[in-house]
Structures are given as structure tokens and as C-alpha cells.
Amino acid sequence: SRAQAMEVTESPDVTYDDIGGIDDQIREVREAVEDPLEDPEQFEAVGVDPPSGVLLHGPPGTGKTMLAKAVANESDATFIKMAGSELVRKFIGEGARLVRDLFELAGEREPAVIFIDEIDAVAAKRTDSKTSGDAEVQRTMMQLLSEMDGFDDRGEVRIMAATNRFDMLDEAILRPGRFDRLIEVPEPNAEGRARILEIHTQDMNVAEGTDVSEVAADLEGYSGADIASLATEAGMFAIRDGRTEVTQADFEQAREKLQDAEKTEEQVIN
Ligand code: ATP
């Protein structure tokens, strides 16, 4: 049903301050989503149309979903999330109907931000195979395109999507009037990783003498999601040990644990 497939949040609790290392991307999203929601007259006065759709692309766990939630929160808009995978695991015609419902609901709840995660699930390039499953996915994508094409007069609804597989997308969804603002959200650099760890440890009871920036210096290759797990794991080591303060050693143990987990994962894949 509608309720199961969509996640609707009146006011998500994520703010821009919770997001580390992607300040340029935050600025771009604000311009493309927040400004048109808050000051549509400005766009009208200047005589330009705001971007129709904003596509966030980049590796997993870098903050794309957070960014969409934060812009909805900071624009006082309802956040309506749908996973692309939800749109395809359906009976014939159901994906297209869900897309219609999604836009209808957004219209009822405006101002609203629609966020379609894993958009590649519905908008991948056409393959050669002509199985009925592909035809159904195709229909769902067509419905999405037609909703976006009829989008101009939808008032205070902005549409966003995210993908880890930008290379797989059908160019049809990137045309003007559709997802015409692309924002790359990359893996964090050293400075970004330090900021993200700072964010995820700011409410933690960190033992005196623990140098969080020293921990951060050793996180090459970590995504934001990895860093969030690292902080949680470090806290878990303290709890298991019956302590209320998290020490440098806890962070080191947590890092070893995550590295071991990653190795096991690699072995499973290979
Ligand atoms: P996916 O492509 O896997 O859906 P995503 O890019 O949407 O990933 P998020 O869901 O936004 O990633 O991030 C997952 C979690 O990782 C967040 O809830 C947060 O705890 C942490 N995180 C990721 N990126 C950042 C960041 N830039 N700053 C702070 N925390 C982050």
C-alpha cells in the first residue's frame, strides 16, 4: 500500500550542521531546492525556472539521503521518500500507480520534497532483453517522466533523487525539465572525514586525553556511514567494559573490528 512504500516525514530531524565534508554540495542543494521553495517570487521576478529535478550521485554512505532530509527540514517542507526498488517489485501497473500516488501525495502536502532513492532501479538504460519485468520497469519510468514533464504548475513541490550508479542511468531522465541539476556527492577527503567524526562524537562522553583528530587521521577510504559506525562501535566497547567514557583505545578497537568485518566481506565476495 501507499503507506508501506513511502516514508513521509513532516519535519525530518536532520540539519545542515549534521552533515560533514560536503559544504559545496549543501550550497548547491540549497540553491536548487530551498531557495525556490522559500522564495518562488524571486525566480519569477528574474524570469528563470528553478531546476526541475536534482539528482545526487556518488558512492554509498556519503550523505545523499541526509542532504535530502536536511533541505526538506530547513525549508519546512514535508519529506516524502520512495525507494526505487519499491517501485519495481510490484505487480503489473503497480509501479506506475505508486509514482502517480507519490506526486499526488506531494501535491496534497506541499511544500514538499519528493526523494527517490536508488533511482537507477527504475531508470536504468534499456537492456536488450525483452522480458516482461523490463517492460514493467519501463512503464514505471515512463510514468515518472510524464509526472516530471507535467511538473511546472505543481507549485511548491521539489523533486530529488539519488543513485550510486550514475553510469547506468537512461539519458532520458537527465533531459532539461527532468533531472536537470546533477550534484556529485563524493567520498569525504581527510578534512571531511575529520569533520564527520567530530559530528558523530560531539554528543559522546569522550575521555580526556583522547585526540579525536588523531583517530580521524587514520580513516583513509572511510565513507560518512563508515565513520558513523566507527563512533557507535567505539561507544559499544566502552559500554561492554562498564565504562561511561570512550577512550582512544576504544576507537582503535572499533577500527580494527570494522577492518576485520570488511576483510570477511571481501572473502565472501571473492
Ligand atoms: P546510500 O547511497 O547507501 O543510500 P547515502 O549517501 O544516502 O547512502 P546516508 O543514508 O545519507 O548516505 O548516510 C548514512 C549514514 O551515514 C547517515 O545517517 C550518517 O550517520 C552517516 N553519514 C553519511 N555521510 C555523512 C556526512 N557527510 N556527514 C555526517 N554523517 C554522514
Side-chain angles (χ1 to χ4, degrees):
S1 73
R2 209 192 218 193
Q4 283 173 323
M6 295 177 209
E7 173 192 321
V8 182
T9 320
E10 261 344 300
S11 180
D13 56 6
V14 181
T15 70
Y16 298 130
D17 288 340
D18 298 327
I19 308 174
I22 50 173
D23 293 349
D24 289 347
Q25 287 77 4
I26 292 174
R27 188 178 39 71
E28 286 183 58
V29 167
R30 294 187 70 166
E31 269 175 25
V33 179
E34 188 179 331
D35 293 352
L37 278 175
E38 289 188 338
D39 197 2
E41 296 83 12
Q42 172 80 10
F43 284 81
E44 223 159 276
V46 176
V48 293
D49 293 329
S52 293
V54 174
L55 179 70
L56 307 175
H57 64 99
T62 47
K64 297 184 291 298
T65 305
M66 285 185 98
L67 198 46
K69 282 187 175 164
V71 73
N73 176 25
E74 308 233 14
S75 325
D76 291 317
T78 308
F79 179 73
I80 307 176
K81 178 180 157 180
M82 165 89 77
S85 54
E86 285 283 343
L87 290 172
V88 298
R89 285 197 206 124
K90 299 290 162 193
F91 299 109
I92 303 281
E94 215 177 336
R97 195 179 55 77
L98 276 170
V99 170
R100 270 198 307 275
D101 285 354
L102 181 65
F103 281 78
E104 196 181 289
L105 181 67
E108 288 163 10
R109 299 290 191 91
E110 64 180 27
V113 171
I114 292 175
F115 178 62
I116 305 175
D117 201 5
E118 312 162 47
I119 183 101
D120 45 279
V122 273
K125 282 185 190 109
R126 258 156 271 213
T127 54
D128 294 333
S129 74
K130 296 211 166 47
T131 61
S132 61
D134 280 354
E136 175 57 10
V137 172
Q138 204 61 31
R139 264 195 291 276
T140 304
M141 181 172 99
M142 289 308 170
Q143 185 65 39
L144 177 62
L145 296 183
S146 99
E147 293 287 349
M148 291 191 80
D149 291 344
F151 195 62
D152 267 1
D153 46 5
R154 278 187 187 273
E156 294 178 85
V157 177
R158 312 300 311 156
I159 171 153
M160 301 180 73
T163 182
N164 307 325
R165 304 296 312 274
F166 183 68
D167 55 309
M168 273 180 49
L169 295 182
D170 191 319
E171 272 142 41
I173 78 153
L174 305 177
R175 289 201 193 117
R178 295 170 178 174
F179 290 98
D180 50 11
R181 179 61 57 93
L182 308 180
I183 301 176
E184 187 182 1
V185 184
E187 290 276 5
N189 61 17
E191 197 187 322
R193 293 194 295 271
R195 176 69 195 128
I196 295 169
L197 185 62
E198 202 178 289
I199 289 169
H200 285 280
T201 52
Q202 67 194 2
D203 292 331
M204 277 171 72
N205 189 14
V206 176
E208 209 168 313
T210 302
D211 188 353
V212 172
S213 67
E214 197 178 301
V215 176
D218 252 334
L219 301 180
E220 180 83 52
Y222 276 59
S223 69
D226 296 333
I227 295 170
S229 322
L230 178 85
T232 305
E233 284 297 335
M236 293 307 295
F237 278 113
I239 289 168
R240 269 181 224 127
D241 213 22
R243 283 177 284 111
T244 54
E245 287 187 330
V246 186
T247 65
Q248 190 106 16
D250 293 325
F251 283 104
E252 261 140 42
Q253 257 189 294
R255 194 172 47 211
E256 274 163 34
K257 182 176 168 181
L258 292 181
Q259 265 153 11
D260 288 347
E262 199 176 310
K263 272 188 208 130
T264 314
E265 224 168 81
E266 273 165 26
Q267 278 161 7
V268 171
I269 292 167
N270 294 330

